[in-house]
């Protein structure tokens, strides 16, 4: 999906990753991430958001919740959005300030005292029971916690496994009950996804959920709530920040833009953010019909993988599809024109959309590419633990 863009915009990462694998410094099933590119992307996004008057909470699930990358991003975007409790703890341990907790995954009530003690800017609540739990925990800690109300998305505009939220037609009743809780303050609304890239053009556009959030904020304002936040997550990037500002969002949540891997980047290598990771695999064996099998472990169902580069010979081979219900022990490539072009042990490089935290991959953090002195900083698992 991103291989052409990566080769155009960050060929040094391709060369460094191939050399690290060839020298045995990184294993197959490794994402090599360009630390300097990630930080540069964060700086770009922070400057554009400030120009437009939009605040940012950064997301790192797709980066494997890596502490080195978190620290680099936080130098420019200080606050984060943690999508689940495990991510919240990793972000906190790495020194990032908590912007929004509880979205996409609610904070378990037994974890609330620990996480509210970090004094997050906001906590997202999906229903009144969670609002009560946050209120009780905050009251016990001696303060009032700002909350964002998660709205139930429009039919057909919500991903399976992410259902939940307050229906718009019940928001008034919900707000009335929430206003009676002494440990929380309604600070705004959110929904997901609010922006998506067109599958053909890659251009970001608002989803119906964005309009829903705008309506909800107006309803809450009519109830007397002022200075309301509207967080509009998904596909936050240099290309979509003007849209967020135009529609009145107060917050965006950049994730894939930090690595230059939104769908728009696959189609337009000229996007400002630089592609910052490459997936490193290796030819494990060759089938009797000539198709090479490369090691898996890091493939993601929505990756849209197209081809793999084998640096030893410079050939590109198509990547064959595989059923999502099967474990990705291997992934098959198309049969090369000449058998000699592929041999067991060859490096294979791929660039595709990922969510590293749901893989079993290694993450290799690389720096110094811009200065021509690449260095392997360290190896981590997919949840940011040093190996």
């Amino acid at each position: 999906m991103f291989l052409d863009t990566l080769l155009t915009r960050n060929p040094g990462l391709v060369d460094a990753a191939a050399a690290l694998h060839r020298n045995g410094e990184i294993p197959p099933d490794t994402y090599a991430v360009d630390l300097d590119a990630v930080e540069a992307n964060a700086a770009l996004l922070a400057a554009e958001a400030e120009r437009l008057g939009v605040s940012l909470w950064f997301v790192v699930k797709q980066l494997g919740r890596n502490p080195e990358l978190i620290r680099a991003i936080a130098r420019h975007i200080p606050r984060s959005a943690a999508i689940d409790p495990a991510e919240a703890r990793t972000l906190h341990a790495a020194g990032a300030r908590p912007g929004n907790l509880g979205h996409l995954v609610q904070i378990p009530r037994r974890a609330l005292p620990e996480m509210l003690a970090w004094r997050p800017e906001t906590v997202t609540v999906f229903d009144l029971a969670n609002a009560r739990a946050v209120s009780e925990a905050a009251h016990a800690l001696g303060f009032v916690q700002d909350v964002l109300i998660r709205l139930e998305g429009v039919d057909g505009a919500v991903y399976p496994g992410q259902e939940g939220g307050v229906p718009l037609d019940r928001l008034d009743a919900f707000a009335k009950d929430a206003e009676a809780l002494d440990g929380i303050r309604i600070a705004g609304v959110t929904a997901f996804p609010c922006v998506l890239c067109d599958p053909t053009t890659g251009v970001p556009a608002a989803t119906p959920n964005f309009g829903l959030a705008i309506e909800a904020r107006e309803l809450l304002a009519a109830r007397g709530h002022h200075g309301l936040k509207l967080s509009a997550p998904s596909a936050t990037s240099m290309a979509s920040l003007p849209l967020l500002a135009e529609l009145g969002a107060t917050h965006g949540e950049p994730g894939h833009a930090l690595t230059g891997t939104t769908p728009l980047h696959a189609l337009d290598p000229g996007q400002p953010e630089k592609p910052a990771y490459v997936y490193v695999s290796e030819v494990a064996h060759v089938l009797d019909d000539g198709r090479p099998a490369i090691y898996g472990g890091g493939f993601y169902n929505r990756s849209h993988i197209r081809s793999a580069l084998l640096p030893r010979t410079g050939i590109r081979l198509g990547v064959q599809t595989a059923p999502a219900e099967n474990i990705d022990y291997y992934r098959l490539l198309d049969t090369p024109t000449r058998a000699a072009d592929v041999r067991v042990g060859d490096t294979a490089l791929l660039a595709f959309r990922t969510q590293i935290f749901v893989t079993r991959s290694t993450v290799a953090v690389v720096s110094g590419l811009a200065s021509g002195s690449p260095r392997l900083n360290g190896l981590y698992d997919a949840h940011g633990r040093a190996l």
Side-chain angles (χ1 to χ4, degrees):
M1 182 177 183
F2 299 109
L3 190 53
D4 288 331
T5 301
L6 179 66
L7 288 166
T8 300
R9 294 288 308 282
N10 200 348
L13 176 59
V14 173
D15 294 340
L20 288 168
H21 176 259
R22 185 172 60 248
N23 297 337
E25 296 181 70
I26 62 175
D29 183 24
T30 291
Y31 286 95
V33 185
D34 182 346
L35 176 68
D36 302 328
V38 170
E39 181 162 1
N41 290 339
L44 274 176
L45 290 159
E48 178 69 354
E50 183 176 11
R51 184 184 74 83
L52 293 168
V54 176
S55 297
L56 296 180
W57 294 323
F58 72 90
V59 180
V60 292
K61 61 189 174 73
Q62 74 288 346
L63 296 176
R65 300 166 172 169
N66 187 276
E68 287 195 68
L69 301 174
I70 289 169
R71 288 190 287 270
I73 296 164
R75 284 193 280 272
H76 306 277
I77 306 172
R79 291 190 179 272
S80 63
I83 62 100
D84 64 15
E87 186 158 298
R89 291 187 177 100
T90 301
L91 285 159
H92 179 67
R97 295 161 62 191
N100 185 25
L101 304 182
H103 191 228
L104 300 162
V105 180
Q106 293 285 269
I107 304 171
R109 59 185 55 218
R110 293 175 185 84
L112 282 167
E114 171 199 2
M115 295 186 180
L116 294 189
W118 304 338
R119 299 304 301 265
E121 185 178 344
T122 60
V123 172
T124 295
V125 293
F126 280 48
D127 58 18
L128 194 59
N130 277 281
R132 287 195 182 103
V134 173
S135 177
E136 290 167 5
H139 180 77
L141 290 167
F143 62 87
V144 176
Q145 174 63 57
D146 279 359
V147 298
L148 297 183
I149 301 171
R150 156 71 178 245
L151 299 165
E152 182 180 71
V154 175
D155 285 346
V158 177
Y159 296 122
Q162 297 182 20
E163 299 88 353
V166 179
L168 186 64
D169 61 5
R170 289 174 48 201
L171 180 59
D172 195 64
F174 175 92
K176 181 179 179 180
D177 289 336
E179 289 159 2
L181 301 173
D182 60 4
I184 62 170
R185 184 183 77 89
I186 295 173
V189 296
T190 189
F192 191 87
C194 287
V195 177
L196 289 177
C197 294
D198 183 276
T200 302
T201 65
V203 175
T207 72
N209 295 333
F210 206 143
L212 195 72
I214 293 170
E215 287 187 64
R217 183 167 62 175
E218 291 171 352
L219 188 153
L220 291 173
R223 291 189 60 86
H225 296 278
H226 303 291
L228 292 166
K229 296 177 172 66
L230 193 167
S231 182
S234 187
T236 302
S237 66
M238 294 290 284
S240 67
L241 279 170
L243 175 67
L244 267 61
E246 177 187 346
L247 295 180
T250 62
H251 288 73
E253 300 183 12
H256 281 285
L258 295 165
T259 50
T261 53
T262 75
L264 181 56
H265 288 84
L267 299 172
D268 180 8
Q271 285 301 299
E273 301 96 331
K274 190 175 186 179
Y277 67 74
V278 63
Y279 183 65
V280 182
S281 187
E282 175 183 318
V283 176
H285 57 277
V286 179
L287 274 62
D288 192 56
D289 61 11
R291 288 178 294 167
I294 61 173
Y295 291 101
F299 295 108
Y300 173 62
N301 295 339
R302 295 167 58 204
S303 296
H304 303 293
I305 308 168
R306 293 174 184 162
S307 64
L309 170 68
L310 279 65
R312 183 181 65 83
T313 53
I315 65 167
R316 294 267 292 267
L317 295 177
V319 180
Q320 299 190 350
T321 58
E325 62 267 23
N326 289 82
I327 299 171
D328 64 329
Y329 295 111
Y330 303 103
R331 199 66 178 264
L332 294 176
L333 306 183
D334 290 343
T335 304
T337 303
R338 300 183 309 162
D341 285 339
V342 176
R343 64 189 184 200
V344 170
D346 275 351
T347 303
L349 301 179
L350 305 91
F352 50 82
R353 189 173 177 87
T354 188
Q355 296 283 346
I356 293 176
F357 83 114
V358 299
T359 73
R360 56 184 188 275
S361 302
T362 298
V363 175
V365 178
V366 182
S367 65
L369 294 175
S371 63
S373 302
R375 181 174 81 89
L376 176 62
N377 290 30
L379 298 177
Y380 299 82
D381 72 8
H383 298 281
R385 294 172 292 230
L387 299 176

